[in-house]
Amino acid sequence: MTEDMMDLQAMVGKSPDADFLRDMIGFAAKRLMELEVGGLTGAAYGEKDAERLAQRNGYRERDWETRAGTVELRIPKLRKGSYFPGFLEPRRLAEKALTAVIQEAYIQGISTRSVDDLVKAMGMSGISKSQVSRLCEEIDVRVKAFLDRPIEGDWPYLWIDATYLKVRQNGRIVSVAVTIAVGVNDDGRREVLGMAIGHSEAEVFWIDFLRSLARRGLRGVKLVISDAHEGIKASVAKVFSATWQRCRVHFMRNALAHAGKSGRRVVSAFIATAFAQETPEAAKAQWRSVADQLRPTVPKLAALMDSAEDDVLAYMTFPAQHRTKLHSNNPIERLNGEIKRRTDVVGIFPNEEAIIRLVGAILLEQNDEWSVQRCRYMTLESVSGLSDNHIITLPAMGA
C-alpha cells in the first residue's frame, strides 16, 4: 500500500494537468488488473506460494479508449486459462467503426433516410471531414494490424464463408463478396485468420485469398470446410493440398429441393441414417444404399448423392469428437449473422475501405472474445495428433 501511494504521489508531481486524468485512469486500471489476476492465480505478483493456481505468462498490449484519451494497458496473460479485464468494453471498437462508416456516408451525401435519421439520433450533425478522417485512421491502424498479423503454429481445420454487401463504385451500386476465414490451431483454440473482398468468386480469387493466408504463415491445414463452390475446391487442393468438406447443411437444402414438398421429411430421414454411422466405411455404405433406394423415384437426387459422396462425408475420416463441428459451416454462421446485423445499418457502403473498417473491427472483437474463453474449442489431446510438429518425448532416465 505504501509503495502504491509513492507511485501515485510521483505521478501527481510529474504529470501535466492535461495528462493527469489519463494517468490516474491507467494507474487505477493497473491496480485493478493486478487484484483480479491475483485472485485467479491465488498469489500476488512475484509471490511464491505452494497453493498457487496458475502461473503468469507475460503481457499483451492493448489501447483503451476513454473520454480522457487513449490509455495504454499491459494485460497480464496466464499459462493456464485466460484473463480479460472486466472493466473493458469488448464491443467499443466495432461501435466506433460503425459510427465512422455512417459518418463517412453522411458527409459524402450518399446516406439513405434511415442512415440520416440514425446520424441525427447519434448527435452527429455538423460532423467535419477532418473529424471523420481522424476517427477512421485510428480504427484502420488497429484493423490492419489485426488482419496482417503473422499466423503461427499448425491449423488443422479451416472454415471459409462469404457474405455479400453493397458498395458504391464509380457511381454504381455493386455487390461484393466479403470472405472470412476461421481456423482451429494445434492448441485447440479458434481464431479469425483473415478476410478479403472479391468482385467474383472465381477460382483465381480463392487462390489469391488462400495464398495470402499462407504467406502470413498458415500451415498444417488438413481440412477446409465451406459451401459448394468449384473455385474453392480447386484452390484448396492447389494451395494447401488439404481435404475439402462440403457443408452438409447446404447440401441437404440442395438435395431436398429435388424431393418435393411431400417427400422432404422422408428423404431427410433417409440421408440422415448415413450421417449417424460411426465409421467412414459404414457411412459410405449407407450413403450408397440410400442413393440406390431413391434412384427409381428421384433419379436427380440419387445422381446428386453419387457426385457429392466424397465431399459431404469427408469429415468422417477425422476424430469422432470433432465431427459435429466439422460437417458444416455452422461454427461461423453466428459470426456472419453478427456481421449482417451491423452492416444492415449502413445499407450501402461508400467504398471498400469502409467495409474493411467495419467488418474488420467486428472480427477483431470476436477474436478477442474467443481468446479469453476458458474452454478450448477442441480439447488439446484430440487436436495434438493432427499436428505436423509432434512433440518428441524422451524416455525416463533410470534412478
Side-chain angles (χ1 to χ4, degrees), residues 52-215:
R52 178 184 285 273
L53 303 175
Q55 298 289 335
R56 292 170 176 258
N57 189 29
Y59 298 87
R60 67 176 182 274
E61 308 291 336
R62 174 161 177 161
D63 289 339
W64 181 25
E65 301 300 330
T66 72
R67 293 186 178 182
T70 302
V71 177
E72 297 179 355
L73 298 179
R74 299 182 73 229
I75 301 176
K77 296 194 298 183
L78 304 178
R79 292 188 183 278
K80 181 185 295 184
S82 58
Y83 167 69
F84 188 76
F87 57 83
L88 289 184
E89 302 175 54
R91 290 287 178 195
R92 188 176 181 92
L93 181 63
E95 298 299 340
K96 291 176 67 176
L98 177 57
T99 301
V101 171
I102 292 174
Q103 288 174 339
E104 189 173 10
Y106 185 71
I107 284 179
Q108 295 187 23
I110 59 174
S111 55
T112 61
R113 176 175 294 181
S114 60
V115 171
D116 190 48
D117 292 341
L118 181 58
V119 167
K120 293 177 181 177
M122 297 173 72
M124 294 189 296
S125 57
I127 192 78
S128 69
K129 290 186 178 182
S130 60
Q131 289 174 303
V132 172
S133 178
R134 285 195 298 271
L135 181 58
C136 292
E137 182 180 0
E138 171 194 339
I139 298 168
D140 291 346
V141 169
R142 292 184 59 186
V143 169
K144 186 178 187 304
F146 169 67
L147 295 177
D148 293 344
R149 74 192 189 282
I151 302 175
E152 300 176 347
D154 283 355
W155 299 80
Y157 299 133
L158 184 69
W159 289 263
I160 300 175
D161 203 5
T163 187
Y164 282 85
L165 302 177
K166 293 182 178 179
V167 62
R168 289 185 181 267
Q169 289 183 351
N170 301 321
R172 298 185 301 114
I173 299 175
V174 299
S175 292
V176 293
V178 179
T179 302
I180 301 163
V182 172
V184 168
N185 61 16
D186 52 7
D187 195 39
R189 298 197 178 275
R190 179 171 45 164
E191 287 191 21
V192 175
L193 298 181
M195 67 167 286
I197 297 177
H199 300 279
S200 70
E201 293 192 70
E203 180 181 335
V204 63
F205 165 73
W206 293 112
I207 290 178
D208 288 344
F209 178 51
L210 295 182
R211 283 179 176 170
S212 70
L213 297 177
R215 283 193 296 269

